Amino acid sequence: MCGIVGVVSHSPVNQLLYDALLLLQHRGQDAAGIATDQSNTFSMYKANGLVRDVFRTRNMRSLQGNSGIGHCRYPTAGSSSEEEAQPFYVNAPFGITLAHNGNLTNQAELKEEMFRKDRRHINTNSDSEVLLNVLAHELQEAAFGHTLDVDAVFKAVAMVHRRARGAYAVVAQIAGHGLLAFRDPYGIRPLCLGISESEGGTEYLVASESVALEGLGFRFVRDIAPGEAIFIDTEGKLHERQCADNPSLNPCVFEYVYLARPDSVIDGASVYATRLRMGEYLADKIRKEIPLEQIDVVMPIPDSSRPAAIQLALKLGVEYREGFIKNRYIGRTFIMPGQGMRKKSVRQKLNAIPSEFKDKNVLLVDDSIVRGTTSREIVQMAREAGARKVFFASAAPPVVFPNVYGIDMPTRDELIAYGRTVDEVCKEITADHLVYQDLDALKRSISDVNPALQSFEASCFDGVYITGDVTPAYLDQLETARHNPKAAPAEDAVRTQLNLNPPVAAE
Ligand code: AMP
């Protein structure tokens, strides 16, 4: 999962892109980058770290131009090395920069094919660099013998859809031509379009989430449809086209469970409203499993489970209290490398208020249980704070399959629910009782809010990989690569360091 943004304006966009990335920071805290275009010259700066730490005044000054793209990264494929921060740049044809959210499932085949057939060298292990080169190749083919017009741009995107598999929401700039954005034919990862009418004329902003548009004074226009591309040419004219053969909308359920900000609206469903519904459905299930008189208090694990917990408490008629306080200056725990580090950081991140737990039977609500590290630690903290009984409820079903579409849930053995019954997971996290949401109820939580949404990408819960190309062998391969990260990048040894960051002036 990553955050992407693209903007075309009539005035410099560096600050706008920076502000958009701050609004998308929750989507990736590993690296950040911006590429702007001024009269066919790209300026780019990217590095590992949070947006506020990556960009200094001197970098911002070097990012000149009235259009640009930005990215905040959360590593799912490849490594978290600095060369894999985005955007990526390729100099032919035209000069293209690209930022991508998602994950390609046929990256290895494409990389090989690019090298053998298309004579293109991919210098990192990033699937986004592969995607950029596929787009570049297809733009070259589409424009062969004539100029690159709008039809040719859309034709190239149609070819990308035919070659690339997996999840991708993309923003790209083609030097001298314009800004391109597109979404994969299954509409797995989100992307939306906003507009702002100013004295200078119309400005466009595309972003992973609507929160980025609203926060910057853009009016939400619509979500980009699955398979659709939009292109804003150098005259500032917007072109839109469906480029996929059989598009269908299957948004990722995990966006609603956890990834997106609650104030975003994705594919016509308010994330906040879906989380309230998750709480209601979960309450129905809890009522069947735990005698209500045994629950003294409902507590969220801050922050993402809060809307579900509030609604759940209301529906059960049980008191809602905040027993854990989050240190908001600490990053998300799953970003931390290694299990030991993760465990430690749970305690750094959350602290219990003993008076809220003393001699009480508490029902803790979390949005999901992935590795189980957080849940186990939190149950223990609740007991140490004096709780008598600790019940645990997850607003999402058991996570039992790896996610191959851009969420970091790569190996089955890292998932606490894999190969375990609910009772066994309950024992593992040392709770007195554990209740998981049913998948059907989770899906209904979203389609209740937008009835047009009927099909979802929910593979981490049901193992159904909508792109149809994910085989057990592919999953095994991913797991081997994960357990053995050094084995994969064979070309590491001969890789040369490329530094595409522009030279910076002294501050
Ligand atoms: P854990 O079960 O210890 O992995 O922690 C799960 C919590 O981390 C959930 O409640 C989510 O809030 C959050 N989370 C969401 N996505 C992920 C992910 N891909 N990997 C790990 N944790 C995640």
Side-chain angles (χ1 to χ4, degrees), residues 216-473:
L216 297 171
F218 280 72
R219 180 171 56 80
F220 175 86
V221 176
R222 62 185 182 82
D223 294 283
I224 306 296
E228 189 194 9
I230 63 157
F231 183 63
I232 302 149
D233 64 26
T234 42
E235 314 278 271
K237 187 167 180 322
L238 173 74
H239 307 266
E240 309 155 304
R241 188 153 323 158
Q242 176 52 259
C243 299
D245 296 331
N246 291 304
S248 66
L249 182 57
N250 310 268
C252 167
V253 279
F254 219 73
E255 291 280 352
Y256 298 96
V257 168
Y258 170 73
L259 301 180
R261 255 177 63 155
D263 43 344
S264 282
V265 176
I266 294 180
D267 290 318
S270 144
V271 173
Y272 186 75
T274 65
R275 289 183 187 168
L276 293 178
R277 292 296 282 167
M278 287 173 211
E280 288 185 24
Y281 284 120
L282 192 53
D284 293 340
K285 190 157 175 209
I286 288 167
R287 203 185 282 281
K288 289 182 210 142
E289 295 194 18
I290 308 175
L292 282 196
E293 60 283 2
Q294 281 199 23
I295 309 172
D296 296 321
V297 63
V298 170
M299 276 181 195
I301 315 273
D303 284 312
S304 23
S305 73
R306 200 172 274 125
I310 289 174
Q311 201 68 0
L312 184 153
L314 188 73
K315 187 121 196 239
L316 293 182
V318 175
E319 196 173 5
Y320 171 88
R321 300 296 279 255
E322 299 263 352
F324 290 105
I325 301 302
K326 182 172 170 181
N327 177 348
R328 65 180 68 187
Y329 303 103
I330 275 187
R332 288 179 172 188
T333 52
F334 68 90
I335 302 289
M336 309 286 176
Q339 195 69 359
M341 191 63 187
R342 256 184 223 116
K343 199 168 149 170
K344 185 166 161 251
S345 59
V346 175
R347 291 203 179 228
Q348 285 177 333
K349 192 166 99 169
L350 292 176
N351 192 36
I353 306 174
S355 56
E356 293 303 314
F357 291 89
K358 186 140 179 41
D359 296 329
K360 288 188 185 156
N361 294 339
V362 296
L363 170 61
L364 305 179
V365 182
D366 207 350
D367 57 86
S368 58
I369 303 173
V370 181
R371 294 173 180 85
T373 331
T374 316
S375 336
R376 192 182 305 118
E377 220 42 42
I378 282 172
V379 170
Q380 281 164 15
M381 284 167 75
R383 291 200 200 281
E384 285 163 24
R388 213 182 293 143
K389 278 194 175 168
V390 184
F391 306 119
F392 204 98
S394 162
V399 175
V400 276
F401 293 96
N403 184 294
V404 297
Y405 300 126
I407 306 179
D408 184 26
M409 295 175 181
T411 65
R412 285 161 276 197
D413 54 13
E414 281 177 62
L415 306 170
I416 193 171
Y418 177 72
R420 288 192 177 92
T421 63
V422 175
D423 281 349
E424 285 166 347
V425 176
C426 182
K427 270 205 197 84
E428 283 287 320
I429 67 168
T430 70
D432 291 291
H433 191 88
L434 169 64
V435 183
Y436 274 112
Q437 182 91 274
D438 291 330
L439 181 55
D440 187 50
L442 173 60
K443 290 180 179 175
R444 266 186 287 136
S445 307
I446 306 165
S447 37
D448 285 352
V449 179
N450 178 9
L453 296 179
Q454 290 296 331
S455 179
F456 300 96
E457 195 306 288
S459 53
C460 60
F461 304 118
D462 61 11
V464 176
Y465 295 93
I466 202 124
T467 51
D469 59 333
V470 177
T471 59

Side-chain angles (χ1 to χ4, degrees), residues 459-503:
S459 53
C460 60
F461 304 118
D462 61 11
V464 176
Y465 295 93
I466 202 124
T467 51
D469 59 333
V470 177
T471 59
Y474 175 81
L475 295 179
D476 289 345
Q477 220 178 323
L478 275 190
E479 295 187 356
T480 313
R482 173 82 169 193
H483 291 311
N484 213 348
K486 284 273 163 270
E491 65 272 69
D492 256 6
V494 291
R495 196 192 290 163
T496 47
Q497 285 283 327
L498 296 185
N499 186 3
L500 294 166
N501 287 332

